[in-house]
Amino acid sequence: MREHPLNSNRVFNNADSFAQAFDEAWQKHEQSDPHHGLDPAAKVDLILEGLGEHPFLQNQPELAQQVATFRLRLLGLAGPTQ
């Protein structure tokens, strides 16, 4: 079983819970491997794979992908090209 990146044991089947988990996983990856060389799309795939046990991602994978893309734009995490 994969370790969930949230500091809390409370995970919910909704977009807000998924967005928080995604943000935390993205930042954790940036801190642990800042020179990873992945383009944003490849990194999203990697992060989603790591969050594979999140109920929102399991039940609504297309919407979870949209939430992830939105979070990148909203927080400026993908750089100026996103």
Side-chain angles (χ1 to χ4, degrees), residues 47-61:
I47 300 301
L48 292 179
E49 182 180 320
L51 294 173
E53 304 233 353
H54 195 285
F56 186 74
L57 179 57
Q58 289 179 348
N59 293 322
Q60 298 190 56

Side-chain angles (χ1 to χ4, degrees), residues 6-26:
L6 286 179
N7 292 331
S8 168
N9 289 332
R10 299 181 63 141
V11 176
F12 301 98
N13 183 15
N14 62 44
D16 289 335
S17 176
F18 176 76
Q20 290 174 345
F22 179 83
D23 293 353
E24 187 171 326
W26 185 278

Side-chain angles (χ1 to χ4, degrees):
M1 185 169 158
R2 294 181 188 140
E3 181 180 328
H4 198 276
L6 286 179
N7 292 331
S8 168
N9 289 332
R10 299 181 63 141
V11 176
F12 301 98
N13 183 15
N14 62 44
D16 289 335
S17 176
F18 176 76
Q20 290 174 345
F22 179 83
D23 293 353
E24 187 171 326
W26 185 278
Q27 295 299 337
K28 185 177 179 180
H29 185 268
E30 276 299 306
Q31 291 171 355
S32 68
D33 192 6
H35 304 290
H36 51 74
L38 297 172
D39 65 44
K43 186 171 174 187
V44 166
D45 291 342
L46 179 68
I47 300 301
L48 292 179
E49 182 180 320
L51 294 173
E53 304 233 353
H54 195 285
F56 186 74
L57 179 57
Q58 289 179 348
N59 293 322
Q60 298 190 56
E62 296 86 15
L63 190 52
Q65 176 75 38
Q66 291 175 12
V67 169
T69 302
F70 173 75
R71 297 302 293 177
L72 294 181
R73 285 193 314 268
L74 179 70
L75 300 175
L77 297 174
T81 59
Q82 277 286 23

